[in-house]
Amino acid sequence: MKTKKKLDSNTVLIIITICLFIFMYAVGCIMYQNKGFGNLQTFLNVLINNAGLICVTCGMTCVMLTGGIDISVGSVIAMDCMLLVYGMTEWHMGAVPMVILVLVIGLIFGAVQGFLVGYLEIQPFIVTMAGMFFGRGMTAVICSGQISITEADNALFYSWANSKINLPEFLGKVNKHGKIVVPYIRPTVVIALVVLILIFLMLKYTKFGRNLYAVGGNQTSATMMGLNVKKTRLLSHVLSSFLCSIGGILYCLNTMSGSVNQAKGLEMDAIASAVIGGTLLTGGVGNVIGSLFGVLINGTITVLVNTNGKLLSSWANIATAALLCIFIILQSIFALVKARRSK
């Protein structure tokens, strides 16, 4: 009986998400076969371009499990990128100290927001909206223009950004010149997937992970069970901002630039990916594996629109919005069914 409940509330939504991704990608392979959509590298590029978003969505999922939200992540990404690039180009600091500085700032940023949400019980939306304005403002304070980093600025960071991990040669494809093109991934993808696995294990097997689900499921019941709800909510925001800083580093490695307008709307991408992946907006239900496929769906939509060549890029946002509405409706239906069965 417990297995059935679990299937209804979480697993079914994840299965729907995975099936939707497979269907969308299969359609793309059929429609755009002559444009190379079916190449393995095309799929790997989706992972490469969205490595930072995977980390951010993992953090967003943890916050949403408690029934909260974090809309500051896009601004934090922009601030991280600007700080990294400006620090290495203008302050001439090393790549490692700058990466450590960004991670520390992420922890502090999350601790402040988590304290306001958890202990002062201010609405997460209001707190993180203030964080969003602060992050975007600090980005402009660091530098109001757009700056890029080159090999001359920092050879180590440049080498990280251009590193490749080649896959086995038998997965390659012969190009027009008769040479085998071996598919590859970036180290950023490996880091993102390691983060995903660690968060999955944390949610499934640790006390803190169970606390996140309990707080999001019913705060009153969690308090009566002796759980420290305030501390759990604080730590969820600390974790979210820390993962966001990791995502910001990966994002910067992909773009090699900093800008005030960078990562605008990324918080909406993270929320949409989590919801499409089966995370309930009300909290208590979710899984980072589903969130991963939510990110892949968003990335695939973008690639489909770009591959078509005739559609405006805004169609990707429209498609994501439509999917988001569908999954919110599905969540409502599952919630009603669960409520009726509990009577």
Side-chain angles (χ1 to χ4, degrees):
M1 200 68 179
K2 288 182 179 179
T3 304
K4 188 174 182 181
K5 280 189 177 181
K6 188 176 180 181
L7 183 67
D8 288 340
S9 62
N10 192 9
T11 311
V12 170
L13 287 171
I14 295 176
I15 291 172
I16 292 172
T17 303
I18 294 173
C19 290
L20 177 62
F21 166 69
I22 294 172
F23 173 75
M24 287 176 58
Y25 208 87
V27 170
C29 290
I30 294 170
M31 290 180 62
Y32 303 116
Q33 185 178 6
N34 60 334
K35 294 185 177 182
F37 190 91
N39 294 345
L40 177 59
Q41 190 60 54
T42 301
F43 172 73
L44 295 177
N45 286 341
V46 173
L47 287 173
I48 292 170
N49 293 333
N50 292 281
L53 182 58
I54 290 173
C55 293
V56 174
T57 305
C58 285
M60 184 68 72
T61 301
C62 293
V63 170
M64 290 175 66
L65 284 175
T66 66
I69 199 85
D70 187 351
I71 63 170
S72 68
V73 292
S75 299
V76 173
I77 290 280
M79 183 174 65
D80 289 341
C81 290
M82 184 65 82
L83 186 60
L84 281 168
V85 177
Y86 196 83
M88 286 183 278
T89 57
E90 301 297 326
W91 299 339
H92 305 293
M93 292 184 66
V96 175
M98 287 307 303
V99 166
I100 293 173
L101 177 62
V102 164
L103 294 177
V104 171
I105 289 174
L107 288 173
I108 296 171
F109 197 90
V112 173
Q113 292 195 145
F115 178 78
L116 294 174
V117 171
Y119 285 87
L120 297 188
E121 298 183 355
I122 304 174
Q123 285 294 327
F125 182 84
I126 300 300
V127 171
T128 57
M129 182 172 65
M132 177 182 69
F133 288 129
F134 176 83
R136 196 64 66 176
M138 281 303 299
T139 305
V141 168
I142 296 169
C143 181
S144 58
Q146 180 172 346
I147 51 176
S148 301
I149 185 168
T150 62
E151 187 174 9
D153 296 315
N154 194 293
L156 179 59
F157 197 80
Y158 188 85
S159 66
W160 290 348
N162 289 277
S163 297
K164 292 182 181 180
I165 301 174
N166 291 324
L167 299 186
E169 192 171 316
F170 69 87
L171 295 173
K173 186 177 180 181
V174 180
N175 62 14
K176 296 178 182 179
H177 304 289
K179 293 183 178 180
I180 298 177
V181 180
V182 180
Y184 65 89
I185 58 171
R186 302 283 187 188
T188 52
V189 176
V190 177
I191 295 171
L193 294 180
V194 168
V195 167
L196 179 87
I197 293 169
L198 290 176
I199 298 301
F200 173 79
L201 295 174
M202 182 271 292
L203 291 175
K204 191 172 180 64
Y205 296 110
T206 68
K207 182 181 178 181
F208 176 63
R210 292 189 292 271
N211 288 352
L212 292 176
Y213 284 103
V215 170
N218 192 311
Q219 285 195 27
T220 304
S221 298
T223 303
M224 293 176 66
M225 289 167 58
L227 300 181
N228 192 330
V229 174
K230 294 180 178 181
K231 183 179 178 181
T232 301
R233 297 185 76 186
L234 181 150
L235 291 177
S236 70
H237 281 274
V238 172
L239 180 61
S240 175
S241 291
F242 181 71
L243 293 181
C244 183
S245 289
I246 296 176
I249 295 165
L250 303 186
Y251 195 95
C252 188
L253 285 168
N254 189 42
T255 61
M256 294 297 285
S257 65
S259 170
V260 176
N261 295 319
Q262 201 164 31
K264 271 196 172 179
L266 187 135
E267 59 277 353
M268 296 301 118
D269 291 333
I271 294 169
S273 297
V275 172
I276 291 172
T279 303
L280 293 186
L281 290 167
T282 52
V285 175
N287 191 298
V288 289
I289 301 299
S291 298
L292 169 64
F293 280 94
V295 172
L296 292 177
I297 286 173
N298 270 335
T300 301
I301 290 172
T302 302
V303 174
L304 284 170
V305 171
N306 292 338
T307 305
N308 180 277
K310 297 179 181 178
L311 297 173
L312 295 173
S313 59
S314 55
W315 277 103
N317 295 330
I318 294 171
T320 300
L323 283 176
L324 186 59
C325 290
I326 291 170
F327 275 87
I328 290 173
I329 292 170
L330 284 174
Q331 288 182 3
S332 299
I333 292 172
F334 281 124
L336 287 172
V337 171
K338 185 177 180 180
R340 288 182 180 179
R341 286 182 177 179
S342 62
K343 290 182 180 179

